[in-house]
Amino acid sequence: MSTELDDWHARHGYVPRPRLDDYAQKYADYFVMTRRDGILQLRMHTDGGPARFDFATHNAWAQAWQEIGNDPENEVLILTGTGEEWLAPDPDPAAGATTLIQQTRLADFRYEHTYYDAIKLLENFVFGIDIPTIAALNGPSTSHTEFALLCDITLAAPTATIVDPHLLAGVAPGDGQQLTLQHLVGTKRAAYHLYTGAPITAPEALELGLVNEVVPADELLSRAWEIAESIMARPRAARRLTHAITQRPWKRALVHDLGFGVAHEMFGASPPTDSSDPLSTGGQPAPAASGPQRRTFHPGSRTCCPLPCGKLLEADGSDAMAKSDPESEGPQRSSRDCHEIRRCGAASVPPGPESGPLPTHAR
């Protein structure tokens, strides 16, 4: 963005946009950020080595995409990993998935950090970044190569692999990788890799159209910068609007399918819920049931009124307690009377012509 416009913003009270010095430090535990002549290189890492994916990474990446996309000084993005791996392998993915599923969580954790973060992780990357994107897939990965595939241009080292291991770990594949595979290699091929977890090698990925070039590992980043610099030679508006055109199919795909996939993955990953499971009741033990339980009306036996009062009824629908107490005063009431008076749990009102017929479920 021109310095003249930047100065004009400052004079007229515009809210400052994010600055690289600020957010590079904020996300230093997750990315090493380098910018030169408008080209931002984003290197994923964990403790200086290949990145490891967990819930905190989910959350940080989703937020970082927003700030990167909102910084007008960023003109082209290069995304890559550290060392010889895109993401560090999990020595036992099934055990890791089981731990994540069964671990006790605080109230609202499942919504905030399994569902919401998973949605925003892809939404913010596709909808929040409005500059050309280049992925340098630097090696094999255990998961989450969807970000490399969502970039406008994807380069791969010869050792790179693309894989979706969710089902192998006992979880339905729904948080993004399945979406990129379905759209890039087709429904049938995608289904095979989702069921088997078979990795797609770099040469196969090139043949299938998942990546644009396979480049020797020691030349990968220099090739990414070469392409980025050639893009930077074009007019600013033209290159940004070209990105908008290339990303439109992904935006459409996310709107149609991302929420569906994530919801199914989260449901499939949920632990069984019962009265002793604190996760099923917002972190609190389920309260013990009290009072009569409502049941379906069966002829020939006593049951509870199917309406909110829960009154014990005989098979003919009359008040069982009134029948058992010969000294009870007043006429015996049926489930119809109960409905007319209580109006499904509302304050008692006298029955009247406006009450209408008894609902089918209470007959």
Side-chain angles (χ1 to χ4, degrees), residues 9 188 225:
H9 286 159
K188 201 70 173 179
W225 275 87

Side-chain angles (χ1 to χ4, degrees), residues 100-145:
L100 289 177
I101 293 169
Q102 296 181 351
Q103 206 168 19
T104 301
R105 302 293 182 189
L106 300 175
D108 295 327
F109 185 96
R110 290 192 180 281
Y111 173 78
E112 292 291 340
H113 300 305
T114 56
Y115 180 79
Y116 182 84
D117 280 350
I119 291 287
K120 295 304 175 183
L121 191 59
L122 265 69
E123 277 190 358
N124 293 349
F125 189 81
V126 172
F127 288 91
I129 296 177
D130 295 320
I131 57 176
T133 51
I134 302 169
L137 191 55
N138 57 304
S141 179
T142 56
S143 61
H144 290 293
T145 47

Side-chain angles (χ1 to χ4, degrees), residues 36 76 82 89 148 164 182 206 208 237 239 252 255 263 275 315 338:
R36 186 178 75 234
V76 179
T82 295
D164 191 319
Q182 288 174 330
L206 181 62
L208 291 170
R239 60 180 182 250
R252 185 182 299 113
V255 168
S275 59
C338 173

Side-chain angles (χ1 to χ4, degrees), residues 27 43 82 94-95 101 104 122 145 151 171 206 215-216 235 257 265 272 281 284 323 325 363:
Y27 300 107
R43 178 168 61 82
T82 295
I101 293 169
T104 301
L122 265 69
T145 47
C151 285
V171 180
L206 181 62
V215 182
D257 295 327
E265 178 175 324
T281 55
Q284 299 297 326
K323 280 190 173 184
D325 182 5
R363 291 176 183 171

Side-chain angles (χ1 to χ4, degrees), residues 36 39 41-44 77-86 134-140 148 153-161 202 206 211-229:
R36 186 178 75 234
I39 301 171
Q41 178 179 296
L42 205 60
R43 178 168 61 82
M44 308 175 293
L77 174 67
I78 297 174
L79 179 64
T80 193
T82 295
E84 298 179 351
E85 295 166 329
W86 178 258
I134 302 169
L137 191 55
N138 57 304
I153 295 173
T154 305
L155 311 178
T159 58
T161 57
L206 181 62
V211 304
N212 301 104
E213 297 180 16
V214 176
V215 182
D218 58 354
E219 300 175 13
L220 185 66
L221 277 178
S222 61
R223 176 58 179 154
W225 275 87
E226 179 184 359
I227 295 173
E229 289 166 351

